[in-house]
Amino acid sequence: SSVAYADLNDAKQKWLDAKAYHEQTKIEWREAQKLVTANNTPENVQNVINKAKVSLNAGLDTAIAFFEFHKEKLEAEDISDSLKSTIRSDIDKNIGVAESLKLEVNLIDTRLEVGLVSLKIFDKYLNLLVDIMRDTGLAYIEKSNDRYDRLSEMKIKLESKIPESRKAEFESI
């Protein structure tokens, strides 16, 4: 439907916008770190922490927008409702993880905490990749099984059309 198409385009644009903003915040964070290296004052250290929090939250917002885009995209996939439900559940779980990580980011007070929360985000990202690989594999298996079943049905139909006098020729194939 045109509504779903508009939702998909809107979701994709939100993801791309979030991604662009995240790239901008990473540059600002790196610049703040350079400033601390040149002049290690409490103000500059606090600026690094603030820029880190903004960038980490922007990265998590990008992940959430990515999940929302893929949730919209999922509706058009040619897979079973059961598999869609499984994938949707995984996506919702990962959105929840990203939202809880945002709460942890907001509690950061020190550069050490920036590092620890960054590592935690990276660890959760690796778990997310496992979910994505598993769901992608399940979708491929389902599609392959469906195609195999259709080909098997076609073979049976074709074999039924072969005259008895010629069946021996085709049984060796």
Side-chain angles (χ1 to χ4, degrees):
S1 76
S2 61
V3 173
Y5 188 71
D7 290 344
L8 180 62
N9 282 340
D10 184 47
K12 183 177 183 180
Q13 191 57 54
K14 284 180 184 174
W15 167 50
L16 294 174
D17 291 347
K19 190 174 171 183
Y21 177 68
H22 181 227
E23 289 303 315
Q24 175 190 334
T25 65
K26 289 192 305 188
I27 292 168
E28 292 172 6
W29 183 10
R30 281 193 295 273
E31 291 300 318
Q33 289 171 323
K34 287 178 188 176
L35 189 57
V36 164
T37 302
N39 188 8
N40 191 359
T41 66
E43 294 80 16
N44 287 345
V45 169
Q46 188 59 49
N47 187 43
V48 166
I49 293 167
N50 293 342
K51 297 290 185 185
K53 290 168 72 169
V54 168
S55 186
L56 292 172
N57 272 319
L60 292 165
D61 287 339
T62 301
I64 291 168
F66 174 82
F67 298 141
E68 293 293 351
F69 167 57
H70 280 278
K71 225 159 92 167
E72 286 292 330
K73 197 172 155 188
L74 177 64
E75 297 312 312
E77 288 291 325
D78 186 24
I79 55 176
S80 69
D81 288 342
S82 172
L83 184 53
K84 281 183 183 180
S85 177
T86 297
I87 294 171
R88 196 176 303 110
S89 174
D90 285 346
I91 290 172
D92 287 340
K93 178 187 80 176
N94 285 312
I95 289 171
V97 168
E99 288 172 345
S100 72
L101 287 168
K102 285 178 62 79
L103 295 174
E104 289 189 46
V105 167
N106 293 335
L107 297 175
I108 290 174
D109 288 322
T110 67
R111 289 182 80 184
L112 175 62
E113 290 171 348
V114 168
L116 293 173
V117 173
S118 295
L119 285 174
K120 189 171 189 177
I121 290 170
F122 184 72
D123 179 58
K124 298 297 181 184
Y125 174 73
L126 294 177
N127 291 334
L128 158 74
L129 290 179
V130 170
D131 284 350
I132 290 171
M133 287 184 282
R134 183 192 64 241
D135 290 344
T136 301
L138 289 172
Y140 282 127
I141 289 168
E142 183 177 276
K143 287 179 179 184
S144 295
N145 286 341
D146 183 52
R147 287 184 179 123
Y148 176 80
D149 291 344
R150 283 187 281 151
L151 286 172
S152 294
E153 289 171 14
M154 288 172 56
K155 179 183 178 219
I156 291 168
K157 285 179 184 177
L158 287 172
E159 286 174 343
S160 72
K161 307 276 186 207
I162 299 172
E164 278 302 317
S165 61
R166 304 213 43 211
K167 281 195 180 190
E169 291 177 48
F170 293 99
E171 285 179 1
S172 63
I173 295 179

